[in-house]
Amino acid sequence: FKRLELDPKSKDELLEMGQTFNAMIDLLETNYDKQKQFVSNASHELKTPLTIIESYASLLKRRGMDRPELFHESVDAIHSEAVRMKEMTEQLLLLAKHKEQWNLSIEPLHLAEEIDQLVKGFHNAYQRQIDVRISTELLAKPSLLLIQNDTGKLRQLLFILLDNARKYSQNPIVIEIENDQPMSEHLGTVKIQRRCIRIIDQGIGIPQAELSKVFDRFYRVDEARSRTDVGGSGLGLTLALEIADAIGATIRLESVEKEGTTAIVSLPAIFVPTTTMFSANSNE
Ligand code: ADP
């Protein structure tokens, strides 16, 4: 890209046009660099599992017939690396898809039910204990909440955070749901009461200095520690943040190394008394 040489003595409009042109070139260059970096990171990340798959496949080809113990080890490794690649590809595709294409709309959502389904699915897949605690205030005030959502986006966000809690801790995971304080926002005459979901693990934790970096694409705290047994791509939190941004939620992490991590999601919610708008029988 070639920037224009600007003559400060040219007419105002010409100078302004020239400056706008140069600003556009700066923007294009930054985007181009970012895209190049992204493609290069993505290729690198996909190459690692592919190399492992290739080496195990060739081992199977050479020795698989006469060494049965190699067979199981190789098939397991090939399977888990293929699963990792599939997850990564799905995350990359979602990240590449522009947020405008996500068809977000305001949908009534029953948070307690949403969490219940998520926890059931997660428990079936990983047999991990998850304690869900809903504040008495929320239990006492039946309501549905409205949130900018596309079927499954919120669940996907919570799944990423829950999955991290699983990967980086061996202990039971706790999910807490309560009203977020303070209640100060308004949408026209409607009061917005944010909900707060905390996903709490007692795992290895994240060093303070890394807390802001973990949301960057492909960033992983200590590659060796993250990758060896648990898999992962360094894309989960990036995607979670993008989803949060799109549905109007926020995510924040609090962590103490070797003690555990709490992911805090805050959701903009509008109380809709179930009796007036919906006939659903809600007891969130
Ligand atoms: P990954 O697929 O590697 O888990 P993420 O983007 O979800 O990617 O997370 C980035 C990094 O942040 C992880 O590799 C891990 O080092 C760290 N991390 C995320 N969540 C937790 C957690 N609950 N406890 C400890 N470390 C975590």
Side-chain angles (χ1 to χ4, degrees), residues 267-278:
L267 295 166
I270 305 166
F271 275 101
V272 180
T274 48
T275 44
T276 54
M277 259 186 93
F278 303 98

Side-chain angles (χ1 to χ4, degrees), residues 164 167-168 201 206 214 219-221 225-226 232-234 236-237:
N164 279 352
K167 288 191 294 190
Y168 304 109
D201 73 57
I206 303 170
V214 290
Y219 192 87
R220 320 190 71 214
V221 180
R225 162 190 106 146
S226 310
S233 60
L237 286 177

Side-chain angles (χ1 to χ4, degrees), residues 91-102:
Q91 289 177 331
L92 280 169
L93 283 173
L94 259 171
L95 278 172
K97 208 170 170 190
H98 212 260
K99 268 178 254 166
E100 274 89 67
Q101 296 174 315
W102 283 4

Side-chain angles (χ1 to χ4, degrees), residues 114-126 130:
E114 192 70 17
I115 301 272
D116 191 47
Q117 300 235 355
L118 172 79
V119 166
K120 273 192 191 127
F122 203 83
H123 186 76
N124 282 340
Y126 300 109
I130 303 170

